[in-house]
Amino acid sequence: MLMTIEASAPAKIILFGEHAAVYGQPALAVPVSTLRAYAEVCPNPDGLRGLHIDAPDLGQHLPVDIHAETVDNALALTAKLVLQALSAPPPDVTIVLRSQIPIASGLGSGSAVSTALARALCLAVGRSPDLATLNHLVYEVEKIHHGTPSGIDNTVIVYEQPVYFVRNQPLETFTLGAPLTLLIGDTGIGASTKIAVGDVRRLVETDAAATLPIIQAIGEISQMARAALERGDIQAVGQLMTENHALLCRLTVSSAELDHLVVTARQAGAVGAKLSGGGRGGNMIALVHAENADDVVSALRQAGAVRVVKTVLV
Ligand code: MEV
C-alpha cells in the first residue's frame, strides 16, 4: 500500500500590534489550528519529470526550475529555497496544495501555504529541517507577499504556538490566564498586505511626527495586553483590542466594512473588537463571552460578514 505524504500549517490571527510590528514594536499572534493549508506529495503523472507544484485553488500548476536566477512566484521560490538549504536535488513528484484559509484576508494564507509546501518537500526528500531554518526560509518568501514583513506571520505559523513577537528578537511565547472565545469575521473583501504596509511606511516617511507616536502607542497596548492575557483579565483585553483598532484606523489601514463589523460586534455584546492582519479588508476579530457568542455571530452575519469562525484559545 502506498503511504500518503502530507504536511500542513495553520492560519493565524494577530491579537495586537499589526503594522507596529514592522517597526520593532511588540505584537501578539496565535495560530488557528482548525483552519489549515495542506500539501500532499503525489507521484508525477505518466510522462512528467521533475518537481511540479499544483495549486488548483489558485489556478496554478508550475514546474520548479531551481536553476532559474530570479523566481518571483512564491510557491516556486519556496521550493527553490528549501532544496538549496538542504542541498537536495528536486524530487520527481508533484506537490498538490489545498487550503481552507481565504487568501488576502489577514489570516496568513501565504505563510501557511509556503510552510505546508516546505514541510512536504522536506518529507519528499527524506529530510526534516529544524523550525528555525524553516522559519527563515518562509520569511524569505514572505517578502514576495508583504514587501517588508516583520516576520510575525511566518513565526506564529511555523512554530504553531502563541507568540509575543518583537522583530529580530528570540521567540517568546505567552500563556493565557483564562480561555479566550474569539470570533473571526470576514468582510469578504480581499486586500493586499503589501500595499497596506507600504502605505504605512509612506506615512512614517512623510509625517513621522504624527505617525511614530501612533506606532509607539500600539506597542504599549501590546505590552499591556500580554499582561492582561496572562492574568486572564478578559475585560481589559477587550478594551485594549478596541483601543488598538482606533489606532489602526489612524494608520489608515481599516476600512468602512471593517469598522462596521467592529462596531456591530461591540453593540451585540462583544467585550472588544479590532481588525486583524494587514487590514483594508480581510478579517476582524471580536472577543466575546462564551454565552454571548451566538448573538454576536448572528449580528456579524447580518452586518455583512461572509463568514464567521469561532475559535476558543486555552
Ligand atoms: C500582517 O499579518 C502583519 C503586518 O504587521 C505585517 C507584518 O508584520 O509583516 C501588517
Side-chain angles (χ1 to χ4, degrees), residues 12 14 17-22 106 108 142 146 148-153 193 197 277-278:
K12 67 88 189 46
I14 297 192
E18 51 274 270
H19 287 287
V22 174
E142 275 292 284
H146 290 184
T148 54
S150 64
I152 188 169
D153 286 15
T193 298
V197 168

